[in-house]
Amino acid sequence: MSVFARGGLGPLCAAARAVIPCLWRGKYFSSGREPAETQVTPMLRHLIYKIKATGPITVAEYMKEVLTNPAKGYYVYRDMLGEKGDFITSPEISQIFGELLGIWFISEWMATGKNAAFQLVELGPGRGTLAGDILRVFSQLGSVLKNCDISIHLVEKTPQGWREVFIDIDPQVSDKLRFVLAPCVTPAEVFIQRDEMRDHVEVCPEAGIIIQELSQRIALTGGAALIADYGHDGTKTDTFRGFCGHKLHDVLTAPGTADLTADVDFSYLRRMAEGEVASLGPIKQQTFLKNMGIDVRLKVLLDKSDEPARQQLLQGYDMLMNPKKMGERFNFFALLPHQRLHGRSHPMNACQSKPSVSPVAGFGELAWR
């Protein structure tokens, strides 16, 4: 059994320099304040040389360069997690988060027949905190960690049809970047649905490829994928944003000094998995963790803790569950074999017991027996 726990294009067409200035309306793109002066970072110099040589670049390519460039990338040389970093993740907030996910994996393993061949694969492990908490629940299990960088393409509806948003050098300020619209059709527009009602769309082909590969693997050999991230179900438009020191940061200012991110479009992931596997969610983190028994686990830990530890546990609980914090911003989404939801199983081997037909943990109210 395999349990999985959570793009770029080439140079623009020949008419690249005939771009249209784009005043992208994303509320997250800027901190709302004009910087006193442009901070010329090594990454900004690199991007300016690159754009001068090849023309405007996609937002996806911009994100990849800024975040993962081997020499100057944000993820390569900065310690971005925790209070002293630029953002914090659920596993870093409380051990309960990882422990409940460990219980979820065990629940699915038991529900699908307790196959002796068990793999835990985490995509985007960070410091490995989540895996460590899960493995503490398992006690003995190997973990395979793999980096998972995801970047997006921004596409805007114009009178001429859908046009992708690129990043170019501001002609009035030589060391400043700006958004522009592509003068011609680009491959990213293929991923726009015919009935799309939004006028701004963020598409992530690489996420689609990952979901398709996971779905094929799950359909063939069994297992499950649990994806936890901030996102929406095909309703939001402009979510591309930067974070520096836990505050919103202009995505084009001082590249290489801030994290760049965007919300997951779970409706897109569902479409990419369609036919191969069944999907559940997305549901809010607050609901998922409550269904997994976070209140019960918190009480157990509080009873065993001294006062400083109790305060830390309560603060972590509030951060995870409060709707105004992470409780409603983060979502859970699962991929499962169709047989798992319909009570049929894959052919069993000698090391696998008969699977049980039971609800999928976390996606329904927890029933104590």
Side-chain angles (χ1 to χ4, degrees):
M1 176 183 180
S2 299
V3 183
F4 304 90
R6 169 132 174 66
L9 294 174
L12 187 57
C13 59
R17 287 303 173 186
V19 292
I20 306 168
C22 173
L23 297 177
W24 189 263
R25 290 173 286 178
K27 62 180 179 180
Y28 292 119
F29 282 14
S30 171
S31 61
R33 299 184 302 271
E34 287 293 328
E37 59 182 52
T38 302
Q39 182 180 350
V40 182
T41 61
M43 175 55 67
L44 178 57
R45 285 195 294 268
H46 165 72
L47 290 167
I48 289 174
Y49 294 148
K50 180 181 180 67
I51 293 171
K52 285 181 177 179
T54 64
I57 59 177
T58 66
V59 172
E61 188 174 359
Y62 176 78
M63 291 180 71
K64 278 194 169 184
E65 286 291 331
V66 170
L67 297 177
T68 63
N69 181 285
K72 307 175 180 68
Y74 170 82
Y75 289 157
V76 175
Y77 73 93
R78 289 180 69 95
D79 185 11
M80 74 291 293
L81 292 172
E83 293 183 4
K84 296 182 179 179
D86 296 319
F87 61 91
I88 193 167
T89 61
S90 294
E92 303 288 338
I93 292 173
S94 174
Q95 69 181 71
I96 303 177
F97 184 86
E99 291 172 349
L100 294 180
L101 265 59
I103 294 172
W104 190 90
F105 298 139
I106 290 175
S107 173
E108 281 306 298
W109 176 66
M110 294 176 66
T112 53
K114 302 180 182 178
N115 194 327
F118 187 100
Q119 294 178 335
L120 173 70
V121 182
E122 182 186 1
L123 303 182
R127 292 174 174 166
T129 304
L130 176 61
D133 291 337
I134 292 172
L135 296 183
R136 188 167 60 252
V137 175
F138 288 5
S139 77
Q140 288 186 348
L141 182 67
S143 175
V144 180
L145 303 180
K146 177 181 178 182
N147 289 327
C148 182
D149 166 56
I150 298 296
S151 48
I152 61 167
H153 295 264
L154 306 183
V155 189
E156 177 178 334
K157 185 181 291 184
T158 73
Q160 291 74 39
W162 290 99
R163 289 294 182 268
E164 185 168 4
V165 177
F166 277 65
I167 293 171
D168 195 8
I169 301 169
D170 190 326
Q172 297 180 350
V173 185
S174 61
D175 55 4
K176 185 178 180 181
L177 301 175
R178 65 169 182 167
F179 289 108
V180 297
L181 288 177
C184 55
V185 174
T186 62
E189 296 165 36
V190 174
F191 296 90
I192 304 296
Q193 296 292 295
R194 291 184 178 181
D195 58 351
E196 180 59 67
M197 300 299 293
R198 293 171 291 176
D199 57 4
H200 291 79
V201 179
E202 297 164 338
V203 297
C204 185
E206 289 189 357
I209 293 172
I210 291 173
I211 291 298
Q212 288 177 337
E213 290 180 351
L214 292 178
S215 300
Q216 292 168 4
R217 173 75 176 267
I218 292 170
L220 180 64
T221 64
L226 183 64
I227 300 170
D229 214 330
Y230 39 74
H232 58 91
D233 205 11
T235 56
K236 292 185 179 181
T237 54
D238 311 321
T239 71
F240 179 39
R241 57 199 184 275
F243 281 102
C244 183
H246 300 273
K247 296 181 180 179
L248 287 172
H249 179 85
D250 190 313
V251 295
L252 298 185
T253 297
T257 65
D259 184 38
L260 302 178
T261 187
D263 283 10
V264 174
D265 184 345
F266 289 104
S267 68
Y268 172 68
L269 302 189
R270 189 184 300 111
R271 290 198 304 272
M272 294 300 99
E274 212 166 60
E276 291 284 351
V277 294
S279 64
L280 291 175
I283 66 171
K284 300 299 182 185
Q285 176 170 288
Q286 180 189 46
T287 303
F288 180 88
L289 295 180
K290 184 171 286 292
N291 290 343
M292 288 300 303
I294 187 172
D295 294 326
V296 176
R297 179 56 178 159
L298 175 66
K299 185 178 185 305
V300 171
L301 292 175
L302 288 175
D303 290 342
K304 297 179 179 179
S305 302
D306 57 21
E307 187 56 29
R310 287 171 60 89
Q311 290 303 315
Q312 186 175 10
L313 285 167
L314 290 171
Q315 289 173 5
Y317 176 89
D318 181 65
M319 179 64 75
L320 292 175
M321 298 293 285
N322 192 322
K324 295 181 179 180
K325 296 179 181 179
M326 301 176 75
E328 291 192 355
R329 294 179 182 176
F330 279 66
N331 293 267
F332 279 79
F333 181 82
L335 301 176
L336 302 156
H338 287 293
Q339 297 91 335
R340 169 70 178 89
L341 300 184
H342 297 94
R344 302 188 305 275
S345 64
H346 286 279
M348 294 183 294
N349 56 45
C351 299
Q352 186 176 9
S353 61
K354 184 178 179 179
S356 63
V357 180
S358 59
V360 178
F363 291 87
E365 188 173 352
L366 186 66
W368 294 98
R369 297 179 181 178

